[in-house]
Amino acid sequence: MATAPIVYTPGEPAGIGPDLIIQLAQQALPVPLVIIADPDLLATRAARIGLPLTLHEHPHNQAITHTPGTLNVLPVTLAQPCACGQLDPANAEYVLKTLRRAVEGCQCGEFSALVTGPVHKANINEAGITFTGHTEFLAELTDTPQVVMMLATTGLRVALATTHLPLKQISAAITPARLETIIRILHYDLQDRFALSRPRILVCGLNPHAGEDGHLGREEIEIIEPVLEKLRAENFDLHGPLPADTAFTPPRLEQADAVLAMYHDQGLPVLKHKGFGQAVNITLGLPIIRTSVDHGTALELAGSGDADTGSLRAAIDTAVQMSKQR
């Protein structure tokens, strides 16, 4: 069991993030949780979905336990009252404030790991705040120059060389220095946080057919392969660059600990097809442990009681496992 509680930020208040933790709170959990949120939001949402909920203010520097039907809350107040499914840019800063407080707690040892609910990037941007995603924001908060986004489900881990970039910017973003750093982070965190002594990593090419010997692009020849050769000389177990359409075939995946995709929509459709609703988003390279759900805010389900808690439960379980390993 983790030595400190895990902290959960529900994300966008108009979405299903609050619903998910209220629904999970009815069950036994593997570790005590602290929820950073507006207590009135949680109480109102619990009443809306018809679930019993008792809230306790988080007792700082004291041991806590989890009792079904209760939540320990570290209060942060909404800027404006929140209606289910109705975005309000006025509450964008509230979302970021919960994340800042959670990261502070993880950095000082108050919490053993951070689990995040879904945020609504467009709503935060509508508030005039530049925000490209949790991954990038957490890197900025922790002064981490490079992080790696990895999603995991049973039998498959997919990490990304680039995250939230338009397609036309991806080739220029995959530089030798960036790719080497990302592979090092992936390799070392698979060792440190997943107990894999020599992780076997499949590396996708950027272009169709991994460039077809340069006829469909030269990034594989000029950038990816030289980086792989350099790291293989340091005993990294790297395979590729592989055509993405064959990298994800069962015979290859059976022998792999992770796949490194070059961009978001190269790798994540496969991962989500295999494990949507049970997958976990993990940020590698941070000085803290962070996991998240694999889905969005699902505004249309907020307050319905029909949100699927599978991914949040998997994110909590993964955070517990990573905390033990670390």
Side-chain angles (χ1 to χ4, degrees):
M1 188 174 187
T3 57
I6 285 174
V7 62
Y8 173 70
T9 53
E12 170 53 51
I16 62 170
D19 305 48
L20 294 173
I21 197 60
I22 292 165
Q23 291 172 234
L24 267 189
Q26 310 305 313
Q27 308 171 15
L29 294 174
V31 68
L33 301 178
V34 174
I35 317 305
I36 302 183
D38 189 319
D40 289 341
L41 168 68
L42 296 173
T44 301
R45 193 65 58 86
R48 171 74 177 261
I49 60 181
L51 290 176
L53 185 67
T54 301
L55 300 176
H56 301 292
E57 186 164 347
H58 174 48
H60 298 276
N61 302 317
Q62 295 182 33
I64 62 172
T65 58
H66 172 70
T67 302
T70 69
L71 285 175
N72 295 290
V73 182
L74 201 163
V76 174
T77 304
L78 283 164
Q80 293 292 330
C82 175
C84 293
Q86 297 181 26
L87 296 170
D88 187 344
N91 285 323
E93 182 56 36
Y94 159 85
V95 173
L96 301 185
K97 188 179 294 185
T98 65
L99 288 169
R100 293 188 191 102
R101 179 61 181 86
V103 169
E104 289 173 5
C106 289
Q107 289 177 314
C108 73
E110 181 182 6
F111 309 123
S112 61
L114 166 62
V115 177
T116 59
V119 296
H120 197 286
K121 293 189 282 288
N123 194 53
I124 296 173
N125 286 311
E126 283 292 323
I129 301 169
T130 301
F131 183 86
T132 56
H134 265 125
T135 302
E136 297 83 358
F137 186 68
L138 295 175
E140 180 182 345
L141 286 181
T142 57
D143 294 319
T144 305
Q146 181 66 62
V147 294
V148 176
M149 180 178 176
M150 183 176 80
L151 270 75
T153 190
T154 302
L156 180 62
R157 300 183 185 95
V158 177
L160 302 177
T162 61
T163 53
H164 303 113
L165 286 179
L167 282 174
K168 66 180 181 180
Q169 297 178 16
I170 290 171
S171 177
I174 301 173
T175 64
R178 179 191 181 104
L179 186 59
E180 179 181 341
T181 299
I182 286 169
I183 294 175
R184 288 188 185 278
I185 291 170
L186 176 59
H187 174 86
Y188 290 129
D189 272 16
L190 288 172
Q191 289 181 319
D192 184 49
R193 298 187 176 184
F194 294 89
L196 297 167
S197 59
R198 189 170 180 254
R200 183 183 178 94
I201 301 170
L202 307 185
V203 181
C204 293
L206 174 64
N207 298 293
H209 300 181
E212 195 80 65
D213 296 324
H215 295 289
L216 293 177
R218 297 192 58 80
E219 287 87 352
E220 288 78 11
I221 294 171
E222 297 175 359
I223 297 173
I224 301 175
E225 182 59 37
V227 171
L228 300 189
E229 283 299 315
K230 176 181 179 180
L231 294 176
R232 287 185 190 117
E234 298 180 28
N235 202 34
F236 283 47
D237 191 0
L238 304 173
H239 300 261
L242 300 170
D245 61 353
T246 57
F248 289 99
T249 56
R252 287 196 181 276
L253 293 180
E254 286 171 5
Q255 304 299 319
D257 295 305
V259 178
L260 178 62
M262 291 296 109
Y263 56 94
H264 187 282
D265 283 12
Q266 184 185 58
L268 295 195
V270 182
L271 186 288
K272 293 195 175 185
H273 174 73
K274 181 175 175 60
F276 188 73
Q278 302 295 325
V280 182
N281 186 350
I282 305 163
T283 305
L284 306 179
L286 291 172
I288 65 173
I289 292 170
R290 181 260 174 160
T291 67
S292 183
V293 295
D294 70 341
H295 55 73
T297 53
L299 297 171
E300 70 283 0
L301 292 178
S304 70
D306 294 330
D308 186 341
T309 61
S311 183
L312 178 56
R313 182 59 192 251
I316 292 170
D317 290 344
T318 300
V320 171
Q321 294 163 9
M322 292 175 69
S323 298
K324 290 179 179 178
Q325 178 58 34
R326 197 176 194 189

